[in-house]
Amino acid sequence: MKQLGEQLDQAARLDDGTVAQFLLDNPDFFIRNACQVEQMRVPHVNRGSVSLLEWQLARQRNHIRLLEEEITLLMEQAGANERLFNRLLYLQSDLAAADSLLDMLNRLQHWARGLGLSGAHVRLFTDKWYIGAPSDFTHLGISRTAFEPLRIQRLGQGNHYLGSLNGPELLQLLPQARQVGSVAISLMGENGDLGVLTFTSRDNQHYQPGMGTVLLQQLAILLPGLLARWVGRS
């Protein structure tokens, strides 16, 4: 059997893959050469070098730390999902208890303001809903054709947009809204073809690209069914 020094000298002339394969094929190598292994030193950024054992322990500690961080993140996400579910469940029950369309929209507005937002707004595509005169809710209507440039510019191929809008865009989508800093926009319906749900904030940074849209997605699917109690579908 070759001595450890000879093996290491030979390994220096080999590539990493060959050495790694040798160690995999000889799992008792470190046992057979325990004394020499204890003398091995591994380069260290701050300490110059450390023993192989210290290096392995440091790796294990780092691995444990990463696992703890992942567990903490998973627990935080689970808590956030639970809070999200409870908020959605409460809103669904509250909106279902409305006795008119105006009451339902007011309840949605109240819920949004309870989250610290400035408002919640529903616009319905006029080719999908009967909201023309003599309806009291013609102001909810919006032409899909007129909305199309905004959709392409802000939503692209997606169903959601989080960020800011310029003056003309705000005037088209939210003509009555004031002091809008940022918005969360969702196309309503399974296919995003029934209308637009918009939450507004006075804070320019409240809604930003990259934020989660799970709640928005659920609300965008939920609302059309509730609206259909008061508004006919075309």
Side-chain angles (χ1 to χ4, degrees), residues 23-119:
L23 295 176
L24 290 173
D25 295 339
N26 297 270
D28 59 343
F29 172 83
F30 291 105
I31 297 176
R32 290 186 285 105
N33 300 278
C35 292
Q36 290 88 341
V37 169
E38 291 176 358
Q39 299 173 17
M40 289 183 180
R41 309 293 292 180
V42 177
H44 189 276
V45 175
N46 297 321
R47 297 167 57 185
S49 66
V50 295
S51 70
L52 187 61
L53 178 59
E54 289 178 292
W55 178 77
Q56 179 62 19
L57 288 174
R59 278 175 55 88
Q60 291 178 344
R61 284 194 294 268
N62 185 58
H63 182 61
I64 292 172
R65 179 182 61 80
L66 292 175
L67 288 176
E68 290 176 341
E69 291 178 355
E70 289 180 5
I71 292 173
T72 300
L73 180 59
L74 287 173
M75 292 179 64
E76 291 175 350
Q77 290 176 338
N81 288 338
E82 182 179 6
R83 291 190 295 273
L84 204 64
F85 174 78
N86 289 335
R87 286 176 177 176
L88 185 60
L89 185 63
Y90 168 80
L91 178 61
Q92 182 176 2
S93 300
D94 192 43
L95 296 182
D99 57 15
S100 68
L101 178 57
L102 179 60
D103 185 26
M104 193 187 85
L105 295 177
N106 285 338
R107 289 171 184 249
L108 178 62
Q109 189 82 253
H110 178 76
W111 181 81
R113 289 176 177 171
L115 299 179
L117 303 174
S118 58

Side-chain angles (χ1 to χ4, degrees), residues 118-147:
S118 58
H121 310 266
V122 172
R123 302 297 303 275
L124 305 177
F125 290 140
T126 52
D127 62 323
K128 291 291 185 176
W129 302 84
Y130 292 117
I131 53 175
S135 168
D136 293 331
F137 296 95
T138 56
H139 61 283
L140 297 180
I142 184 171
S143 166
R144 193 206 299 258
T145 302
F147 177 74

